[in-house]
């Protein structure tokens, strides 16, 4: 018998005995004058005591059941297994960054120590936000060991200065007519303001970020006889056609860990300044350096079968295919000289030419470091 049962039985026996004694006392108390009401009250008090004790025993049993159930539940729970800790959750943003770096790794390994010539111009030079993004991308590429040569134009800046000095811009077949006065403005703007602004942006970007990825030196085609040429057409004035490129100065700067920033002002045999097209100059420099890539940053997506439909972009064009597309009129207008400059660079020793939209954020990185790219790549293909 459990302790609670003993207590309950004892209380019941005590109650029964009390009831008997009360009855006996009630029978014999008539001579003493005890009233029946007193007996009843005494019985009720005794019964209340018994009921309270029984309730206390009930609560005791309930506590024991609750304790046993809790102990049973605790003993049935399985202890945590070793090595099964939860895996840390990675945000989609960080996961995407890691995937991009993983995809870029083969390209970083392949192009480390290789030279990439970038022609920078168009709308990407006019927007402060785009300009800052392009400069950061150039510093990033330099940081991972890719040798960048930055070649730039500056048409909009030239037009602004011509307006300030009261000279009306004049163009013929898409080329700037460059008389003596205009040539002075062109040289001043390209080799002075535009060139030095870009140099400062690259150097300051490296200082701000603390990565040492940007140490730029500004030069023009006159420096070190980098670009020598002749007048292309007398009707165009001092518009030049490149005859030779001496890459020695560029190689020295690259070997010293600098980013050459080249303004496209050349000189003729007599030392006269020549205004040279930036795309053409970049192509000639890429050929002379046997560059891995020539990248022309423009205001169009690349070579498209329909110039008004970005979705018709052609990702890769071989040398022979490009010639056929020019002949058939698919490549037309302002795209012809750009494609021709890439083809000339390939003829001279450059591995591939790229035409990308400089307005697209990080287009330079996308074209060089991803599988898909973002513009048109022109390759030698079956060209020998």
């Amino acid at each position: 018998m459990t302790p609670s049962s003993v207590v309950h039985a004892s209380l019941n026996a005590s109650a029964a005995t009390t009831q008997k004694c009360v009855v006996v006392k009630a029978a014999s108390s008539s001579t003493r004058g005890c009233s029946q009401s007193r007996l009843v009250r005494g019985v009720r008090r005794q019964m209340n005591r018994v009921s309270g004790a029984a309730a206390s025993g009930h609560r005791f049993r309930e506590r024991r059941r609750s304790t046993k159930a809790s102990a049973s539940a605790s003993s049935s729970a399985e202890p945590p297994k070793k090595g099964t800790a939860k895996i840390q959750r990675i945000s989609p943003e960080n996961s995407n960054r890691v995937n991009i770096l993983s995809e870029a790794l083969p390209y970083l390994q392949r192009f480390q120590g290789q030279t990439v010539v970038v022609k920078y111009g168009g709308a990407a030079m006019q927007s402060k936000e785009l300009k800052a993004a392009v400069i950061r991308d150039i510093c990033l590429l330099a940081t991972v060991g890719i040798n960048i040569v930055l070649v730039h134009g500056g048409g909009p800046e030239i037009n602004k200065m011509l307006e300030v000095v009261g000279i009306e811009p004049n163009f013929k077949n898409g080329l700037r007519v460059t008389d003596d006065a205009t040539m002075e403005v062109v040289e001043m703007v390209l080799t002075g303001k535009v060139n030095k602004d870009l140099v400062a942006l690259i150097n300051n970007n490296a200082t701000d970020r603390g990565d040492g990825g940007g140490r730029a030196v500004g030069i023009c085609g006159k420096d070190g006889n980098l670009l020598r040429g002749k007048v292309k057409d007398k009707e165009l004035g001092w518009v030049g056609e490149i005859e030779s490129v001496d890459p020695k100065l560029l190689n020295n700067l690259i070997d010293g860990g600098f980013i050459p920033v080249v303004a496209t002002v050349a000189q003729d045999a007599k030392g006269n300044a020549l205004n040279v097209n930036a795309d053409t100059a970049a192509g000639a420099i890429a050929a002379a350096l046997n560059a891995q890539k020539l990248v022309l940053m423009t205001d169009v997506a690349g070579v498209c079968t329909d110039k008004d439909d970005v979705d018709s972009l052609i990702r890769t064009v071989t040398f022979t295919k490009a010639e056929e597309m020019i002949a058939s009129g698919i490549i037309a207008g302002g795209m012809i000289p750009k494609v021709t400059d890439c083809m000339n660079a390939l003829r001279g020793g450059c591995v591939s030419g790229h035409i990308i939209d400089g307005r697209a954020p990080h287009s330079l990185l996308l074209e060089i470091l991803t599988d898909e790219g973002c513009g048109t790549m022109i390759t030698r293909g079956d060209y020998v």
Side-chain angles (χ1 to χ4, degrees):
M1 183 178 292
T2 63
S4 61
S5 299
V6 173
V7 172
H8 189 63
S10 177
L11 290 172
N12 288 340
S14 177
T17 303
T18 303
Q19 287 176 353
K20 289 179 182 180
C21 292
V22 171
V23 172
V24 172
K25 289 180 181 180
S28 61
S29 62
S30 56
T31 58
R32 298 178 184 178
C34 292
S35 66
Q36 187 176 2
S37 61
R38 290 179 62 187
L39 293 175
V40 172
R41 286 196 297 271
V43 170
R44 287 177 177 173
R45 283 196 298 272
Q46 191 68 18
M47 292 300 295
N48 287 338
R49 294 191 189 99
V50 172
S51 298
S56 177
H58 177 73
R59 288 193 295 271
F60 175 76
R61 289 193 298 274
E62 289 298 320
R63 285 196 298 270
R64 282 186 59 84
R65 290 194 194 102
S66 175
T67 303
K68 287 182 178 180
S70 176
S72 176
S74 176
S75 63
S76 63
E78 295 185 3
K81 297 180 180 179
K82 294 182 179 180
T84 58
K86 291 184 178 180
I87 299 175
Q88 182 182 2
R89 296 182 64 182
I90 301 175
S91 67
E93 294 80 4
N94 286 337
S95 179
N96 187 46
R97 290 188 184 99
V98 171
N99 290 335
I100 292 172
L101 289 173
S102 179
E103 181 181 336
L105 178 59
Y107 298 97
L108 294 173
Q109 293 172 326
R110 178 182 177 185
F111 300 137
Q112 187 177 33
Q114 300 295 319
T115 298
V116 175
V117 178
V118 178
K119 181 268 177 175
Y120 179 42
M125 284 186 69
Q126 304 309 307
S127 165
K128 290 184 179 179
E129 292 76 14
L130 285 176
K131 183 183 289 187
V134 171
I135 296 301
R136 284 196 300 270
D137 292 348
I138 288 171
C139 289
L140 188 152
L141 293 173
T143 299
V144 298
I146 297 176
N147 302 323
I148 300 295
V149 177
L150 186 63
V151 181
H152 68 85
E157 294 291 341
I158 293 172
N159 290 337
K160 289 179 182 178
M161 185 56 66
L162 288 175
E163 184 178 353
V164 169
V165 298
I167 299 175
E168 184 71 23
N170 186 16
F171 292 87
K172 181 179 180 181
N173 297 327
L175 298 175
R176 185 186 299 276
V177 176
T178 311
D179 56 19
D180 292 346
T182 302
M183 188 65 235
E184 287 186 13
V185 173
V186 168
E187 185 170 12
M188 176 180 65
V189 171
L190 291 185
T191 65
K193 185 178 188 308
V194 176
N195 186 269
K196 301 313 175 187
D197 282 352
L198 291 174
V199 168
L201 285 172
I202 293 172
N203 290 339
N204 288 340
N205 184 268
T207 300
D208 292 342
R209 294 168 63 89
D211 55 18
R215 293 197 301 160
V217 174
I219 62 175
C220 74
K222 286 183 173 182
D223 296 314
N225 286 321
L226 173 60
L227 299 175
R228 299 296 292 257
K230 63 180 181 180
V231 171
K232 185 173 185 176
D233 184 343
K234 290 183 179 181
E235 293 185 1
L236 295 174
W238 295 110
V239 173
E241 180 179 337
I242 296 174
E243 292 184 307
S244 65
V245 179
D246 185 349
K248 184 176 180 179
L249 175 58
L250 293 178
N251 285 325
N252 288 340
L253 290 173
I254 291 171
D255 292 342
F258 295 97
I259 299 175
V261 181
V262 184
T264 54
V265 175
Q267 66 178 351
D268 64 11
K270 296 180 179 181
N272 296 310
L274 298 175
N275 180 20
V276 180
N277 178 271
D279 291 338
T280 304
I285 290 172
L289 291 171
N290 292 318
Q292 182 70 31
K293 293 180 179 294
L294 164 66
V295 182
L296 304 182
M297 301 186 74
T298 68
D299 293 340
V300 294
V303 177
C304 299
T305 55
D306 180 354
K307 64 181 181 65
D308 297 322
D309 183 8
V310 177
D311 293 334
S312 68
L313 175 68
I314 303 173
R315 296 290 183 181
T316 305
V317 178
T318 64
F319 195 102
T320 302
K321 185 64 176 178
E323 290 179 324
E324 293 175 356
M325 293 175 72
I326 291 174
S328 65
I330 296 176
I331 297 176
M335 186 57 66
I336 292 177
K338 297 182 185 302
V339 173
T340 301
D341 290 332
C342 288
M343 293 169 67
N344 289 336
L346 268 58
R347 286 191 184 97
C350 182
V351 177
S352 63
H354 303 255
I355 300 173
I356 66 174
D357 189 347
R359 301 169 300 177
H362 305 296
S363 57
L364 186 60
L365 297 183
L366 290 170
E367 184 65 16
I368 296 175
L369 301 180
T370 65
D371 295 333
E372 186 177 356
C374 69
T376 298
M377 179 172 69
I378 302 173
T379 65
R380 294 177 182 176
D382 54 358
Y383 174 77
V384 179

